[in-house]
Amino acid sequence: VHAPLLEATSAPAINRISQFFPQALANTAWALATRLVQNLPLLEAISAQSIAIMGAFGNQNMSNMLWALAALQYFDDPLLDAIAAQAIPKMT
C-alpha cells in the first residue's frame, strides 16, 4: 500500500463522511477490503456514520458492509449490532 496516497485519499473521505450515503459507505469499506487495507481512522468513521444512518441501509448495503468487515477482520460490535437490528426483522 502506498502510504502517502492512502493518507491523501482517506483524510478527505473522513472529513466528508457525514455526507456519505449507505452505498458510498459500503463501497468504501468494500474497496478497502478488496486490497486488505485496514485504515483504522477511516474504518472508524465509516462505522460511526453507518450506525447513524443504518435505517437507510438496504440489504445489498448491509451485505457488502458485512463482507468487508469480515474480510478485514474488523469487528466493531456497535456496527454489527446496528446491522443485526436492521437485518433480522427483514428475515422474519
Side-chain angles (χ1 to χ4, degrees):
V1 174
H2 191 270
L5 180 58
L6 179 60
E7 178 60 29
T9 56
S10 65
I14 292 169
N15 291 336
R16 293 183 182 95
I17 203 82
S18 66
Q19 299 170 12
F20 282 31
F21 50 93
Q23 184 176 354
L25 292 163
N27 287 353
T28 303
W30 180 88
L32 292 172
T34 61
R35 305 305 308 153
L36 296 176
V37 172
Q38 267 204 348
N39 182 306
L40 292 181
L42 183 52
L43 287 169
E44 290 168 357
I46 290 169
S47 177
Q49 178 64 5
S50 295
I51 292 167
I53 64 167
M54 185 53 61
F57 270 63
N59 294 342
Q60 188 68 52
N61 305 132
M62 289 185 286
S63 177
N64 290 350
M65 181 67 73
L66 286 170
W67 179 87
L69 297 175
L72 291 170
Q73 296 183 1
Y74 178 75
F75 304 110
D76 181 274
D77 286 335
L79 177 55
L80 294 173
D81 290 344
I83 293 171
Q86 179 76 3
I88 290 171
K90 293 180 178 188
M91 291 184 232
T92 58

